Amino acid sequence: MSETVLAASRSFFHEILLPVLRRDFPYETSQTAFGVFGYGSEVMGMDDEYSSDHHWGIRINAVMPDAVFYASGAPIGQAVAGCLPEEYHGYSVRAGFSGGTGLSITGLESYLKTTIGIDHAPQCDAEWLRAPEEDIIHIINGEIWLDEPGTFSSIRTVLQGYYPEPVRLRRIAHWCRYFSGMGSYALKRAILRDNEYYATIVFSRAVRWAVQLAFMLERQYYPYDKWTHAFFQRLPRLYAPLGPLVDEAVRLSTP
């Protein structure tokens, strides 16, 4: 999300939406974390000139305990929809990610299970290993503007601390095995057999695994594939030596 839209959403929340929520739904508001986070390229700061053709507008995400959401989520959405402006600071309130209200509410436990597969911060190595790395991004990205219970923020803090070292080393070992056994080794065999279909698939996977390994070595989460290269360019140590190799490898003109 561009800084202008992000700033507008933040201002919209504090100026327009939060007073309504505190007035009409004080208990629910006190149990909820508000901000911009979750799914969508805009939350990762990756929106560009091609992004404004969909979900382009004011966006506030909210997570509340499942019990509160099932009891009050729909009434809050309906009540809010009737008292908000159509636009704010030049951005549509109705056309954004949030289903026409500027506010997207979901249950906290359900959201966590949808992303990392558990309804709490990982508490053991097995839970860390089972959490999909690309989906951890959907919890720690964006901003939190209000979280009075602090539950969601504390989970974000745990995840932002990155994997425990034994888990990180185990994942590095897995990716090395993928890269060598199902990447470079399989690529050579595919070429020897003139299997260009499989060779192309294996080559692409090997490049992906190599880039993801760089993230692990730098102790940074990699995002989903669409934006992996953009975040790869931000790695402080390994992009400089690896970037030119990756760029040459995927260039269509490279033989």
Side-chain angles (χ1 to χ4, degrees):
M1 181 177 291
S2 71
E3 184 62 29
T4 302
V5 183
L6 176 57
S9 294
R10 188 190 308 116
S11 177
F12 175 84
F13 170 72
H14 287 291
E15 180 185 344
I16 304 295
L17 184 59
L18 183 57
V20 174
L21 293 172
R22 287 205 187 279
R23 182 193 68 204
D24 298 339
F25 301 95
Y27 171 73
E28 291 83 354
T29 302
S30 72
Q31 300 299 304
T32 303
F34 298 92
V36 168
F37 52 84
Y39 298 94
S41 303
E42 66 272 28
V43 190
M44 304 178 72
M46 291 288 108
D47 264 350
D48 54 25
E49 65 272 19
Y50 302 108
S51 302
S52 61
D53 63 347
H54 65 290
H55 296 161
W56 188 248
I58 297 297
R59 168 177 176 170
I60 293 95
N61 295 98
V63 287
M64 57 179 59
D66 275 3
V68 179
F69 172 71
Y70 293 131
S72 304
I76 291 173
Q78 293 167 0
V80 165
C83 59
L84 298 181
E86 292 291 327
E87 290 189 352
Y88 181 82
H89 289 190
Y91 293 98
S92 172
V93 174
R94 311 296 179 184
F97 180 88
S98 311
T101 66
L103 175 65
S104 177
I105 313 173
T106 190
L108 174 60
E109 295 90 343
S110 296
Y111 180 69
L112 293 171
K113 288 180 181 178
T114 299
T115 49
I116 61 174
I118 52 178
D119 64 2
H120 52 272
Q123 298 174 350
C124 63
D125 290 352
E127 288 184 341
W128 276 104
L129 281 169
R130 285 195 292 265
E133 184 154 348
E134 298 93 328
D135 285 326
I136 292 177
I137 295 288
H138 296 134
I139 296 176
I140 66 173
N141 62 9
E143 298 181 358
I144 299 295
W145 305 324
L146 180 69
D147 183 8
E148 293 179 355
T151 305
F152 187 53
S153 294
S154 66
I155 294 171
R156 280 167 58 98
T157 298
V158 171
L159 293 171
Q160 286 167 342
Y162 200 68
Y163 293 108
E165 188 63 1
V167 175
R168 185 180 79 102
L169 295 176
R170 178 65 177 269
R171 287 177 60 80
I172 288 173
H174 285 167
W175 257 246
C176 287
R177 180 68 182 90
Y178 299 152
F179 181 81
S180 61
M182 293 180 284
S184 56
Y185 176 82
L187 174 61
K188 181 178 180 180
R189 289 300 180 93
I191 292 172
L192 290 173
R193 294 186 173 115
D194 293 323
N195 187 344
E196 293 185 347
Y197 168 81
Y198 185 53
T200 300
I201 293 173
V202 169
F203 178 72
S204 297
R205 288 195 314 212
V207 173
R208 177 178 182 263
W209 286 325
V211 170
Q212 289 175 334
L213 266 170
F215 280 84
M216 295 179 193
L217 293 170
E218 298 248 25
R219 292 178 171 83
Q220 295 190 26
Y221 296 115
Y222 55 77
Y224 52 96
D225 286 344
K226 181 178 179 180
W227 299 119
T228 300
H229 189 264
F231 280 75
F232 175 51
Q233 293 174 305
R234 301 177 184 179
L235 294 181
R237 293 187 301 112
L238 291 176
Y239 177 71
L242 295 180
L245 299 175
V246 171
D247 291 343
E248 181 184 6
V250 298
R251 193 174 296 123
L252 297 180
S253 59
T254 300

